[in-house]
Amino acid sequence: MRSGDRPVPDLALTTKALTMLSTLNRILYPLVLKVMFLLDPERIHAITAQVIRRCGYAPGVRSLMAKLFATDDPILRNEVFGVSFPAPIGLAAGFDKNASSVNAWGQMGFGFAEIGTITGQAQPGNPAPRLFRLPADRALINRMGFNNPGADTAARALAQPRPGPVRVPIGANIGKTKVVPVEDAVDDYRHSARTLGPLADFVVVNVSSPNTPGLRDLQAVDSLRPILATVLDVVDKPVLVKIAPDLSDEDVDAVADLAVELGVAGIVATNTTIRRDSLVTPRAEVEACGAGGLSGPPVADRSLEVLRRLYRRVGGRVALVSVGGIETVDQAWERICAGADLLQMYTGFIYGGPVRLRELHEGIAARLRAGGYSSIREAVGSAAQ
């Protein structure tokens, strides 16, 4: 802890204090969100990211954040693929594309975070507008196109000191540079893995974004095999692969089998979807947004289906990180019992705020104790056993 940080010996809040915090969040955050939604989605994202970054490096402020938002409960701690996680819910890739806020995420209550997606070369991403809100569905559509500063610049940011009361694992999510031909994808992934791997706690190979032409074709086992083999060869950290919800069940099985064969540490399921069914938002508004990946509650059912299928196939041999539409304690608990070793949020964090994250962690801990579990590890996959 650096000079200027106030000691935070105990991150636990009393039940009364947590109730008050939740009440304030229910009253105030919708108003804050309403104001934020008056601005262009990408503009408010940039402003919010800057505020979060500065708070993460401001002594005193980061300690206050940790006191309000972080949960320090032994029952939530888990070791997955050799990495210790203080809490099960992490930040999904896509928010901290530049690795600029890595010191803030633990203070905000996340048990871990993924930076990126980072590509081998810097790239601006797709033309704007490229981020759209669907408030009626509490969802987002994005076609950002991996806008990021490139692996070399991200590595410098990732190497910065991380002071403060809470330090959590950081994963490096890597993808293919758009201008790199598909036949050269292996070399592109190799550069990113070699550059970022030594500075991260784990590496996630992203072959599932719908916003880079040809990328999802790399999920085919014949294309995926050399990429994963290369990344595994150049890093000594756990390697995971992130898959799309739009894969057929047979392709999900094929990726799962490949993960076991190669010794991949985990599978992140799932990315955004290109499907547009079962939305509350009027069709004309959705069509006006255009192409892109849909995230939030509309992807929840398929994400859960893929998780259950993966657990039946490789549960216990490959770690499973479930992401997609998680907003409530019931949903988080269902994913854990279905086989998720870890969970991730992005869209739910935007619509619910950081207090909601603490509520989820407190709720999971309560479910564990009510069920007679001594640790979260004991509950993983319990519904399938």
Side-chain angles (χ1 to χ4, degrees), residues 83-377:
V83 177
S84 295
F85 294 85
I89 303 176
L91 177 72
F95 196 106
D96 193 357
K97 291 178 175 292
N98 305 328
S100 61
S101 303
V102 290
N103 198 55
W105 302 121
Q107 332 304 331
M108 295 196 72
F110 288 99
F112 63 102
E114 273 185 46
I115 57 103
T117 296
I118 304 295
T119 52
Q121 303 174 31
Q123 58 184 29
N126 293 323
R130 53 191 181 177
L131 181 61
F132 307 88
R133 308 181 187 104
L134 304 182
D137 293 284
R138 295 177 65 84
L140 299 172
I141 291 175
N142 92 83
R143 52 172 176 272
M144 302 300 291
F146 291 169
N147 54 308
N148 76 99
D152 295 330
T153 299
R156 289 192 290 272
L158 199 56
Q160 294 299 308
R162 283 188 261 159
V166 183
R167 183 183 175 95
V168 299
I170 300 295
N173 184 297
I174 60 175
K176 187 186 79 67
T177 305
K178 183 176 181 178
V179 299
V180 170
V182 170
E183 55 268 25
D184 296 328
V186 171
D187 290 336
D188 194 52
Y189 278 100
R190 179 188 290 112
H191 173 70
S192 296
R194 182 179 286 149
T195 303
L196 298 169
L199 301 167
D201 295 286
F202 58 95
V203 174
V204 180
V205 176
N206 187 352
V207 288
S208 52
S209 169
N211 302 315
T212 296
L215 185 73
R216 285 193 168 192
D217 295 339
L218 298 179
Q219 292 176 110
V221 168
D222 289 345
S223 299
L224 183 58
R225 184 188 303 275
I227 294 172
L228 291 178
T230 296
V231 174
L232 286 163
D233 186 53
V234 300
V235 301
D236 59 0
K237 303 292 178 64
V239 174
L240 293 75
V241 60
K242 186 169 187 176
I243 63 173
D246 307 313
L247 284 178
S248 68
D249 289 345
E250 293 74 18
D251 287 337
V252 170
D253 292 345
V255 172
D257 293 344
L258 180 65
V260 172
E261 176 191 336
L262 296 180
V264 170
I267 300 173
V268 181
T270 60
N271 211 317
T272 57
T273 181
I274 59 174
R275 298 181 63 172
R276 298 290 190 267
D277 45 348
S278 303
L279 292 175
V280 176
T281 304
R283 181 185 295 272
E285 290 184 30
V286 176
E287 291 178 348
C289 296
L294 174 69
S295 63
V299 78
D301 288 346
R302 179 55 181 166
S303 178
L304 179 58
E305 287 177 3
V306 173
L307 170 65
R308 287 173 171 157
R309 189 171 192 90
L310 287 170
Y311 188 77
R312 288 194 300 268
R313 192 83 174 185
V314 296
R317 293 183 290 168
V318 175
L320 301 177
V321 183
S322 186
V323 54
I326 300 171
E327 288 197 318
T328 68
V329 174
D330 286 343
Q331 290 172 323
W333 181 246
E334 185 176 34
R335 302 291 178 101
I336 292 168
C337 294
D341 298 276
L342 297 166
L343 309 173
Q344 286 184 331
M345 293 179 68
Y346 178 163
T347 306
F349 171 63
I350 292 172
Y351 280 96
V355 175
R356 189 65 187 129
L357 187 65
R358 175 149 198 164
E359 292 171 341
L360 291 177
H361 277 138
E362 297 279 358
I364 293 169
R367 295 290 178 91
L368 289 167
R369 291 190 168 92
Y373 298 106
S374 61
S375 72
I376 192 170
R377 166 55 49 196

